[in-house]
Amino acid sequence: MDKAYEPAKYEADIYRMWEESGAFKPADRGSGIADRRSDKAAKPDIRPTSPESPFCIIMPPPNANGDLHTGHAMYTVEDILIRYHRMLGQPTLWLPGADHAGIETQVVYERLLEKEGKSRFDLGRERFYADVMAFTQKNRVNMENQLRSLGFSCDWSRMKFTLDPDIIAIVYETFKRLHDDGLIYRGNRIVNWCPRCRSGFADIEIKHREQIDPLYYIKYGPFVLATVRPETKFADTAIAVHPQDERYRKYVGKEIEADGLLGKFSLKVIADTHVNPAFGTGVVKVTPAHDPNDWEIGLRHNLEVKAAIGTDGRLTALCGKYAGMPVDEARAQVSRDLEERGLIDHIDMNYKHAVAVHDRCGTAIEPLVTEQWWLKVRPLVAPAIAAVKNGDIKIIPKRFEKVYVNWLENLRDWNISRQDWWGMRIPVYYNASGDDGKLPYLITADETEAQAYYGQGNYEPETDIFDTWFSSSQWPFATLMATGDFDRFYPTSVMETGRDILFLWVTRMVMLGLYRTGEVPFKNVYLHGMVNDAHGQKMSKSKGNVINPLDFTAKYGTDALRLALVIGITPGNDGALGEKKVEGYRNFCNKLWNVARFVLGAVASSEETEANPEKLTPHSPLPATLSLPDKWLLHKLSQANASITKDLDSYRFSDAGQAAYSLLWNDFADWYLEASKSDLNLPVLVYALETILKLTHPFAPFVTETIWQNIPWQQTNLITEHWPNTQHRFAREYHQFEKLQEIINQIRGLKADLKLSQPVLLYKQSSLIEQNAALIKRLAGTGEIKRVEQGRGLALGSRQDEAWLDIDAATVKAYLGSLQAKRASQREYLAKLDNQLSNRSFVKSAPKAVIADTKDRLEQARGVLAKLDEQIRVIEQA
């Protein structure tokens, strides 16, 4: 092995070896499993796994419109699960994909066109679609290579794109079935319209930003009412008040006449509980075509719908001389004209309110009534809720199950059509023949069918496309149907994704998966939080804190990034990622490399190996004679094996990763190797190294596989090795060694505090100390170790062994005084932290990262104080 581990030197070759070996492909039904189980006699740590328990994850397809970001790097969680279940011996499939990403990709490409002084309208629909397709295909190649560089072990032979013809055919079939079942309809309803994108969008695709605008108090006959949108007054169809508002009860049901900019007009006064009597004057104008709440009022009261704003974001002919003006310009002009006519009572210039904007392009949304394709969701919601309540689907963390259910219970019909130019065209042809005896439209992907039914020139194709969430909501079953893996791998095992798309995607996958297949699309949903910067701040270009994960992998290696993304980050919660954290896990990879070099070097230089090289194999039986450190390590390996396995089965990736880290660094390197250097047990060393490599492989695949390939006797790849199932139990010896560690740690601490060189260790009656005196002397750096009838000096905390450092009384007294001073200081510090967290103002206003850090420091302070209390108690009672 090279002296140092250089990730860039090995990673590409290791990945190529994995892929070319076929390791990423699921084993054929039954193949490989029987062979592994037949080895059970020779390899007692093999865990038999039924070939009838396949494991499958469908990768949430990254958008094929740019480079990967830290959110995509969280696929690490999926890769950990895939590698773990592959090592368990299950047929394991991780199916990768890429998303055309609809409007998001369209916006990205339109911005590129803008730099050339062009727009999509200059290209036309067909040319624009073809150019964007070429753009995404080019990005796909780059994106797939970036996914490879992060070590993701997915089966690239099954790669799917959301606009692959076979995927489109499956989505079309679902659409037709829904329509035939009466769940799809076309109708005029209010939608969130983006004037820039010229398309309608769902509520969950909209963001809200706070801004300050003028609030105009306008005279409407006998009323004065407040509005931020005077330009929509031309489409008002009623005046509304609250039914219980005594001020206006006499007007309810009557018509009022008012002066307007286009002449006098009349409006009926209605009573509706939606009206807030405390807002403005308690009177509101009702504009059903341009406000979602007014739309609902209009439905309840059968109000006329008139459009003052068109799909181009300009005022319509309904608005007279203002027709053709953009909304912002019209608002300013209308308000000036109202003032000149004396129709404005007053203006509040500092009205703060939330404005809806399109989350992709940032344009202010215009609520408009347009004709769209709608999906009736109520029949689909009940089974989706039952799937979670009955336990068919488990959501991790569990608290999101309630969020999932609450959202579905309030879900309204879903607008599944978009007027964008990039995406999956809705398979509909309209009747343009004028023949009322024929269907108004025909659902078919085949134009020849429309031609045969309507006649040449007598039909028009639908230009709307599907909402990308409609097509991607069919991703689990559509991909597996397309690859021929449906019967074997559906339902899938886990859907791992960000908590922010629980509503956008997860709920909809469950609804359509159950509808189309009769089964849930996945059995478990694992939600991760946002990956923030090192200070817990959300990454954004404006803050300049965006992290490119590939920058970290180039500098520190892929495994370091993977470990940093997993350890310390819990399900559903945001995590912090900074360079120092990644650098720290690079040090872990180096530690693993150096430990492996030591072990393999010890094997190579041993007399036994030189004389009989065939004797030392990866599965040599452990010797009958084992030292105390040997038995402690074997017990520790079994403990770690069990805990890591349990944590992975329970989706506690941070705990599992931390356990693997601690096993290598603390237990094997810091303790066992130091304790056994004078008397190396090569079979135990080899067994421990190989077990640690296997347990660490899912988290740090590159460095572990590289080491494995450097083990001379290994003829396999680590990626397809068996997951260990060590069953070594030496409880008594384990506790004995733990006791020795306690004694050694205390001596080390006292030596550092008192600046001692080689203090004498005294003990009364301790077979543990007596039998391990040489080990204590070497690891703790003591001088002579003597048995005495009566102890003296500084008592250690291990009262049952009655041990002391032979130190004079004056030094002991001074040390006790310093401990008492530290305790007093620590108590003050603890009280300060406690007061901070008890301060409601601090908890409410401080960033989450600061609060979390304060809580961590509080727990650490409590631990330090408990340790000081114990140290003082032991000395005072001696």
Side-chain angles (χ1 to χ4, degrees):
M1 291 176 66
D2 291 342
K3 187 174 182 180
Y5 176 60
E6 300 175 31
K9 183 177 178 180
Y10 303 103
E11 289 186 354
D13 289 340
I14 289 292
Y15 194 90
R16 190 178 304 111
M17 178 194 73
W18 285 334
E19 192 168 359
E20 290 176 356
S21 72
F24 299 165
K25 297 177 182 292
D28 292 336
R29 188 179 299 276
S31 72
I33 306 299
D35 293 339
R36 292 185 177 196
R37 296 181 71 183
S38 67
D39 272 347
K40 188 178 178 184
K43 304 175 182 179
D45 61 347
I46 301 302
R47 175 183 309 183
T49 304
S50 168
E52 299 305 319
S53 57
F55 185 86
C56 177
I57 295 178
I58 306 295
M59 177 187 288
N63 299 338
N65 55 30
D67 290 334
L68 298 184
H69 52 69
T70 50
H72 297 123
M74 285 303 292
Y75 290 152
T76 295
V77 168
E78 296 175 38
D79 194 46
I80 288 170
L81 283 170
I82 288 293
R83 289 177 182 273
Y84 166 61
H85 283 273
R86 185 185 289 127
M87 293 176 79
L88 286 178
Q90 295 173 261
T92 303
L93 170 62
W94 189 13
L95 194 152
D99 192 354
H100 70 281
I103 186 60
E104 182 171 336
T105 298
Q106 179 168 313
V107 169
V108 169
Y109 195 75
E110 284 188 279
R111 285 173 180 162
L112 294 177
L113 288 176
E114 287 172 7
K115 293 178 181 179
E116 301 175 8
K118 297 179 181 179
S119 75
R120 59 183 155 125
F121 301 103
D122 295 320
L123 302 183
R125 277 185 182 271
E126 289 189 13
R127 169 70 185 279
F128 180 80
Y129 187 94
D131 286 359
V132 178
M133 177 62 82
F135 170 73
T136 58
Q137 295 309 308
K138 181 180 178 181
N139 276 313
R140 272 184 61 185
V141 174
N142 180 53
M143 181 187 69
E144 288 168 21
N145 287 333
Q146 290 176 340
L147 291 170
R148 283 179 166 92
S149 74
L150 291 170
F152 298 150
S153 57
C154 41
D155 183 355
W156 295 106
S157 69
R158 286 168 161 87
M159 175 75 180
K160 298 307 299 176
F161 181 48
T162 50
L163 291 182
D164 282 346
D166 48 10
I167 296 293
I168 292 175
I170 292 166
V171 173
Y172 280 1
E173 175 62 23
T174 302
F175 176 75
K176 189 172 190 322
R177 289 189 189 186
L178 287 164
H179 183 274
D180 292 346
D181 286 344
L183 298 178
I184 295 281
Y185 65 94
R186 186 156 175 81
N188 284 287
R189 298 184 61 178
I190 198 161
V191 298
N192 300 296
W193 186 268
C194 176
R196 181 202 173 281
C197 299
R198 303 284 180 91
S199 179
F201 295 96
D203 291 344
I204 50 179
E205 295 172 283
I206 305 305
K207 292 182 179 178
H208 290 82
R209 67 181 180 214
E210 275 199 348
Q211 64 186 49
I212 295 176
D213 284 313
L215 181 63
Y216 302 94
Y217 285 78
I218 305 176
K219 297 175 183 176
Y220 272 62
F223 304 116
V224 172
L225 57 83
T227 181
V228 293
R229 306 208 60 187
E231 76 280 5
T232 63
K233 71 188 306 298
F234 307 107
D236 295 344
T237 54
I239 294 287
V241 298
H242 193 277
Q244 305 302 318
D245 196 331
E246 294 291 342
R247 294 172 294 176
Y248 308 114
R249 183 170 291 180
K250 65 180 180 180
Y251 295 103
V252 174
K254 298 179 180 178
E255 282 199 354
I256 59 102
E257 187 177 81
D259 291 325
L261 297 177
L262 302 181
K264 290 186 179 296
F265 62 93
S266 297
L267 292 174
K268 185 178 180 180
V269 181
I270 61 175
D272 195 278
T273 55
H274 172 74
V275 179
N276 178 6
F279 171 75
T281 61
V283 182
V284 297
K285 66 190 192 71
V286 183
T287 320
H290 301 297
D291 183 278
N293 294 316
D294 290 6
W295 168 262
E296 296 295 334
I297 292 175
L299 291 178
R300 287 194 289 271
H301 296 272
N302 197 29
L303 299 179
E304 182 184 2
V305 178
K306 299 189 294 183
I309 300 170
T311 56
D312 58 358
R314 295 174 179 270
L315 269 61
T316 65
L318 178 70
C319 306
K321 65 179 182 178
Y322 305 99
M325 286 186 178
V327 167
D328 288 345
E329 181 184 328
R331 184 177 305 166
Q333 187 61 53
V334 167
S335 62
R336 284 195 297 269
D337 292 351
L338 286 170
E339 280 195 281
E340 288 179 7
R341 297 280 294 272
L343 295 176
I344 290 186
D345 184 83
H346 66 283
I347 304 174
D348 177 357
M349 299 300 295
N350 296 300
Y351 177 62
K352 183 184 290 187
H353 66 132
V355 175
V357 297
H358 183 203
D359 68 341
R360 298 306 181 190
C361 69
T363 302
I365 287 295
E366 286 295 342
L368 298 181
V369 176
T370 62
E371 192 175 28
Q372 304 280 350
W373 288 97
W374 299 85
L375 173 63
K376 295 179 182 178
V377 298
R378 297 322 303 170
L380 305 177
V381 160
I385 291 175
V388 168
K389 287 189 173 181
N390 296 340
D392 296 331
I393 297 176
K394 292 181 174 60
I395 299 179
I396 304 146
K398 189 174 177 60
R399 68 178 185 273
F400 282 95
E401 291 184 0
K402 184 177 181 181
V403 179
Y404 166 100
V405 170
N406 288 344
W407 190 81
L408 279 175
E409 286 176 340
N410 294 285
L411 189 61
R412 297 183 294 183
D413 283 2
W414 176 9
N415 168 21
I416 61 170
S417 54
R418 298 290 181 268
Q419 290 67 52
D420 307 322
W421 287 13
W422 169 244
M424 192 183 297
R425 190 184 70 82
I426 296 176
V428 166
Y429 290 88
Y430 292 101
N431 183 358
S433 66
D435 184 352
D436 293 338
K438 291 188 178 293
L439 295 171
Y441 57 81
L442 197 65
I443 296 178
T444 177
D446 186 356
E447 187 175 352
T448 59
E449 187 177 337
Q451 184 176 329
Y453 181 73
Y454 291 118
Q456 180 69 37
N458 291 326
Y459 60 90
E460 294 178 355
E462 173 66 271
T463 57
D464 285 1
I465 64 171
F466 282 124
D467 170 15
T468 187
W469 296 109
F470 177 76
S471 53
S472 62
S473 292
Q474 303 176 54
W475 194 238
F477 66 79
T479 51
L480 293 173
M481 286 178 177
T483 61
D485 294 302
F486 181 84
D487 289 341
R488 189 180 185 196
F489 287 105
Y490 192 90
T492 64
S493 306
V494 180
M495 172 52 63
E496 186 278 333
T497 189
R499 68 159 191 263
D500 54 321
I501 55 175
L502 174 64
F503 305 143
L504 278 165
W505 194 36
V506 174
T507 54
R508 297 169 187 265
M509 282 190 286
V510 177
M511 289 164 60
L512 290 182
L514 282 165
Y515 171 79
R516 182 68 192 267
T517 73
E519 294 183 89
V520 295
F522 29 73
K523 299 170 187 175
N524 299 281
V525 176
Y526 180 90
L527 301 173
H528 67 253
M530 300 290 290
V531 181
N532 296 325
D533 69 11
H535 305 289
Q537 298 295 313
K538 185 178 180 179
M539 295 183 199
S540 69
K541 291 181 180 178
S542 61
K543 292 179 182 177
N545 65 343
V546 174
I547 294 172
N548 182 343
L550 300 182
D551 290 341
F552 280 161
T553 60
K555 189 172 182 180
Y556 300 109
T558 299
D559 294 328
L561 174 68
R562 289 168 62 107
L563 288 161
L565 284 168
V566 171
I567 298 177
I569 298 180
T570 53
N573 297 317
D574 294 346
L577 179 68
E579 187 162 3
K580 285 292 182 185
K581 186 177 182 183
V582 180
E583 184 181 12
Y585 289 110
R586 186 273 309 272
N587 297 339
F588 169 79
C589 296
N590 290 341
K591 186 78 168 183
L592 181 56
W593 183 266
N594 291 332
V595 164
R597 287 184 70 243
F598 171 81
V599 173
L600 296 180
V603 172
S605 62
S606 71
E607 293 180 6
E608 182 181 2
T609 304
E610 291 176 357
N612 303 289
E614 74 285 350
K615 267 196 168 184
L616 192 64
T617 66
H619 301 289
S620 295
L622 296 174
T625 302
L626 296 169
S627 68
L628 180 63
D630 289 339
K631 292 180 178 180
W632 170 80
L633 177 64
L634 292 172
H635 191 91
K636 197 78 177 178
L637 284 170
S638 297
Q639 280 188 326
N641 190 172
S643 68
I644 292 171
T645 301
K646 184 177 180 181
D647 286 337
L648 289 176
D649 287 340
S650 304
Y651 304 96
R652 294 193 295 267
F653 303 105
S654 177
D655 292 345
Q658 185 60 56
Y661 180 101
S662 181
L663 176 65
L664 177 277
W665 197 299
N666 301 331
D667 302 325
F668 191 52
D670 285 359
W671 281 103
Y672 179 74
L673 291 185
E674 292 302 317
S676 59
K677 269 184 178 177
S678 62
D679 185 22
L680 292 177
N681 188 330
L682 293 183
V684 173
L685 271 179
V686 169
Y687 178 80
L689 174 63
E690 291 189 341
T691 301
I692 289 170
L693 289 174
K694 292 175 184 178
L695 293 173
T696 308
H697 178 72
F699 307 93
F702 284 114
V703 66
T704 53
E705 184 72 77
T706 305
I707 293 170
W708 193 266
Q709 296 303 318
N710 276 277
I711 299 177
W713 53 81
Q714 284 297 349
Q715 302 299 315
T716 63
N717 295 334
L718 179 57
I719 190 173
T720 50
E721 267 295 312
H722 307 293
W723 185 253
N725 187 23
T726 58
Q727 299 291 334
H728 305 290
R729 297 289 181 260
F730 299 102
R732 185 175 66 85
E733 292 86 349
Y734 171 79
H735 290 298
Q736 285 179 333
F737 193 80
E738 294 275 299
K739 192 63 183 176
L740 279 179
Q741 287 178 302
E742 183 183 338
I743 294 169
I744 291 166
N745 280 330
Q746 288 179 62
I747 295 171
R748 287 172 174 175
L750 291 171
K751 283 178 62 181
D753 288 346
L754 299 175
K755 296 180 173 56
L756 304 174
S757 177
Q758 289 185 315
V760 173
L761 176 65
L762 308 176
Y763 69 96
K764 284 178 69 175
Q765 293 180 345
S766 171
S767 58
L768 182 65
I769 293 177
E770 188 170 318
Q771 292 168 9
N772 295 280
L775 183 62
I776 296 171
K777 189 172 183 178
R778 181 157 54 82
L779 294 185
T782 66
E784 188 179 1
I785 298 178
K786 297 194 298 186
R787 179 172 180 173
V788 295
E789 293 298 323
Q790 184 62 46
R792 63 180 181 273
L794 186 59
L796 300 182
S798 51
R799 296 296 297 163
Q800 67 193 54
D801 294 305
E802 297 187 286
W804 300 262
L805 289 185
D806 194 5
I807 299 172
D808 63 86
T811 302
V812 173
K813 184 176 180 181
Y815 181 60
L816 177 60
S818 70
L819 290 178
Q820 290 169 332
K822 286 180 182 178
R823 180 170 65 179
S825 175
Q826 194 67 18
R827 283 173 173 169
E828 289 180 11
Y829 178 60
L830 190 65
K832 180 182 176 182
L833 294 175
D834 213 11
N835 288 336
Q836 263 189 308
L837 291 172
S838 299
N839 186 324
R840 290 184 179 179
S841 176
F842 169 77
V843 173
K844 184 178 180 181
S845 60
K848 289 182 180 178
V850 173
I851 295 173
D853 179 64
T854 306
K855 288 180 178 178
D856 287 343
R857 286 187 287 126
L858 180 67
E859 288 305 310
Q860 291 171 7
R862 285 174 176 159
V864 171
L865 184 59
K867 184 177 179 182
L868 287 168
D869 284 339
E870 175 63 15
Q871 288 177 296
I872 291 168
R873 182 191 66 78
V874 170
I875 295 173
E876 287 179 339
Q877 291 181 0

